[in-house]
Coordinates of all heavy atoms in Angstrom, one line a residue:
V1569 N 90.5 68.4 6.6 CA 90.1 67.1 7.1 C 89.1 67.3 8.3 O 89.4 68.0 9.3 CB 91.3 66.3 7.6 CG1 90.8 64.9 8.1 CG2 92.3 66.1 6.5
I1667 N 82.3 39.1 4.1 CA 82.8 37.8 3.7 C 83.2 37.9 2.2 O 82.4 38.2 1.4 CB 81.8 36.7 3.9 CG1 81.2 36.6 5.3 CG2 82.4 35.3 3.4 CD1 82.2 36.2 6.3
G1679 N 96.2 47.5 15.6 CA 96.8 46.4 16.4 C 96.1 46.2 17.7 O 96.6 45.7 18.7

Side-chain angles (χ1 to χ4, degrees):
V1569 183
I1667 304 292

